[in-house]
Amino acid sequence: MIRRSVGTQRWTLISQVEHARLSGALAEAWDEDRFAGLPRDELVAAIAHHDDGWSAWEVSPKVDPKSGRPLDFTETPLPDSLAIWRESIARAEQFGPLAAYMVSGHFSALLERFNSRWKSDSTLERLAQGFLQEQRSDRERFLDKWRHHDNQEEGQVAAERAVAWLQTFDALSLWLCCAERSEAETFHPPDTESVTFSPNGGPYALEVSPWPFGGQSLEVEAVGRSIIAQRYANSSDLVTSPAEPVTLRWSLRPATACMT
């Protein structure tokens, strides 16, 4: 779950499933020629559903016992995260072996990137290393199922490109969802030029350069709920607290220089 501060009085809570759906909407709108031979339908499905394992957890999200704040996805205890990730990978396999490979590679990379969360704790390190070893083996199995040509090295490279595409859209969706933005941000898709998103006229109006989407403009949204920023006693207290529905909408347009 994303806990987005709205001033000092309220939080907007956005589910990981909704964040992933936004990732998929961005991928769906992307110029498909940039995917360079990857199976577009499976690629987009993996991106849109890469956080499906969060669905059960988010029915009754946890609260930090010290602060009373709803746990943000970056604060989730590692054992919970590993269980959620395994479920996400299992669900991704319904879309195909490449989809499962992508989600496994994505979460394995996250775990290694943020190893400061578990390196200093022997119990957590054992859990993390077990997950990484397990997923390396599973990705070999997924790759064997998916490989569509004889050269194993090329198959591996293509699958890793697919992982990088998931990481790109995941990062872009998180950038939109986690906070209002006032500064430009540049993203680096695999095997193509970097793309910069610049707020122009407020945090929900973005100019994009170079324009990577198939249409002339793009409107995207994410749905969440707004709650009072206060201490919550437990999950039940959080779930039953009064909440207001919130829809965040972004308008994306080509940067002026791209329109000439």
Side-chain angles (χ1 to χ4, degrees):
M1 182 171 63
I2 295 167
R3 187 188 66 243
R4 173 177 169 138
S5 295
V6 183
T8 60
Q9 302 300 313
R10 300 190 72 85
W11 292 314
T12 294
L13 305 182
I14 301 172
S15 78
Q16 292 300 108
V17 174
E18 177 68 0
H19 138 69
R21 187 202 60 76
L22 174 59
S23 302
L26 292 161
E28 180 73 30
W30 206 263
D31 182 356
E32 63 182 279
D33 291 342
R34 295 172 183 248
F35 295 142
L38 291 168
R40 182 175 181 274
D41 289 347
E42 188 171 349
L43 185 82
V44 172
I47 294 167
H49 294 276
H50 74 268
D51 274 335
D52 276 6
W54 282 89
S55 57
W57 188 95
E58 289 181 324
V59 170
S60 184
K62 293 184 178 179
V63 170
D64 183 280
K66 294 182 178 179
S67 67
R69 297 185 305 183
L71 284 180
D72 184 76
F73 71 100
T74 62
E75 301 162 346
T76 308
L78 183 63
D80 287 8
S81 292
L82 297 181
I84 289 165
W85 294 349
R86 286 188 174 98
E87 179 65 18
S88 294
I89 295 162
R91 293 194 184 196
E93 195 168 5
Q94 69 180 297
F95 301 108
L98 178 62
Y101 186 103
M102 291 167 63
V103 179
S104 172
H106 171 62
F107 288 127
S108 295
L110 280 181
L111 187 58
E112 293 190 288
R113 178 182 175 187
F114 296 104
N115 61 26
S116 61
R117 294 180 59 192
W118 49 267
K119 278 284 190 180
S120 60
D121 184 303
S122 60
T123 299
L124 294 182
E125 182 170 15
R126 184 173 67 253
L127 291 173
Q129 294 294 356
F131 178 88
L132 292 171
Q133 182 176 353
E134 162 198 307
Q135 292 307 313
R136 281 192 290 269
S137 176
D138 282 351
R139 283 198 300 282
E140 289 182 6
R141 175 169 58 86
F142 298 144
L143 185 62
D144 285 341
K145 288 184 176 181
W146 174 70
R147 191 177 292 115
H148 56 280
H149 48 68
D150 295 331
N151 188 304
Q152 181 173 352
E153 182 178 358
E154 288 186 2
Q156 178 82 39
V157 169
E160 289 300 321
R161 282 180 48 244
V163 174
W165 276 112
L166 192 163
Q167 293 169 321
T168 297
F169 290 110
D170 177 70
L172 174 54
S173 176
L174 287 176
W175 183 73
L176 293 172
C177 288
C178 288
E180 289 191 353
R181 305 300 181 179
S182 58
E183 302 293 332
E185 185 76 10
T186 298
F187 297 87
H188 307 282
D191 301 331
T192 188
E193 56 195 340
S194 298
V195 180
T196 299
F197 290 73
S198 305
N200 184 2
Y204 300 99
L206 302 171
E207 288 193 344
V208 185
S209 178
W211 182 249
F213 298 104
Q216 297 301 310
S217 63
L218 181 64
E219 307 287 327
V220 293
E221 65 181 34
V223 176
R225 60 191 185 101
S226 174
I227 62 171
I228 297 172
Q230 63 182 21
R231 182 180 182 86
Y232 292 89
N234 49 44
S235 176
S236 178
D237 187 25
L238 172 62
V239 170
T240 59
S241 175
E244 299 174 1
V246 173
T247 300
L248 306 176
R249 293 186 175 90
W250 296 271
S251 297
L252 281 58
R253 300 288 185 274
T256 303
C258 297
M259 299 175 65
T260 58

